[in-house]
Amino acid sequence: MSAPVTVRPVNAIDYPAWRPLWDGYNAFYGRSGPTALAEEITRTTWSRFLDAGEPVHALIAESEGRLLGLAHYLFHRSTTAIGLNCYLQDLFTVEAARGRGVGRALIEAVYAQARQAGSPWVYWQTHQTNATAMRLYDQVAEHSGFVVYRKLF
């Protein structure tokens, strides 16, 4: 894989190539088989990416006509900033592209979108067992020290 990688927003015709990336991302986090996301969630998520009125966005990385990765991010208000915060919700690259700068390119593209929107920062979370990704994250951002709590209903 020596061809350049391009990062761009998704468009409607990207769905068939985006879907395996999305499924791979969800499988990585244990959301497959009996614990898979409902199809309605995937359909709604995809439609949000294409709706200019939605704060949810998707970028894809491609090389030689193949999609290699995705980044989904959203903007939201905060009580600690006037500008919109940018949350990088999903980041995934195909296994064959890992370690080749695809994840970094996607993160940098999200940074560019956040700067353009006037966001004071980009933040994200990952599972503590995702050591491979954290090696990259330690190079492109700082660990905030915060721990995430949640309650599922």
Side-chain angles (χ1 to χ4, degrees), residues 110-125:
V110 172
Y111 287 171
Q113 295 300 312
R115 280 192 288 279
Q116 184 177 343
S119 181
W121 62 64
V122 175
Y123 72 102
W124 63 92
Q125 59 187 341

Side-chain angles (χ1 to χ4, degrees), residues 13-34:
I13 64 170
D14 291 320
Y15 182 82
W18 167 88
R19 182 61 191 259
L21 294 173
W22 175 241
D23 290 343
Y25 172 77
N26 284 303
F28 180 83
Y29 281 108
R31 294 183 298 257
S32 62

Side-chain angles (χ1 to χ4, degrees), residues 51-62:
D51 183 343
E54 284 284 343
V56 182
H57 308 278
L59 298 173
I60 50 175
E62 66 181 339

Side-chain angles (χ1 to χ4, degrees), residues 3-80:
V5 173
T6 303
V7 176
R8 65 172 176 79
V10 296
N11 58 56
I13 64 170
D14 291 320
Y15 182 82
W18 167 88
R19 182 61 191 259
L21 294 173
W22 175 241
D23 290 343
Y25 172 77
N26 284 303
F28 180 83
Y29 281 108
R31 294 183 298 257
S32 62
T35 59
L37 290 178
E39 187 61 28
E40 180 182 17
I41 293 172
T42 294
R43 282 193 314 271
T44 301
T45 296
W46 179 256
S47 71
R48 287 175 176 162
F49 297 150
L50 304 176
D51 183 343
E54 284 284 343
V56 182
H57 308 278
L59 298 173
I60 50 175
E62 66 181 339
S63 181
E64 298 181 321
R66 284 188 33 233
L67 296 194
L68 303 176
L70 60 77
H72 303 151
Y73 63 99
L74 58 99
F75 293 106
H76 66 89
R77 298 197 185 284
S78 168
T79 61
T80 60

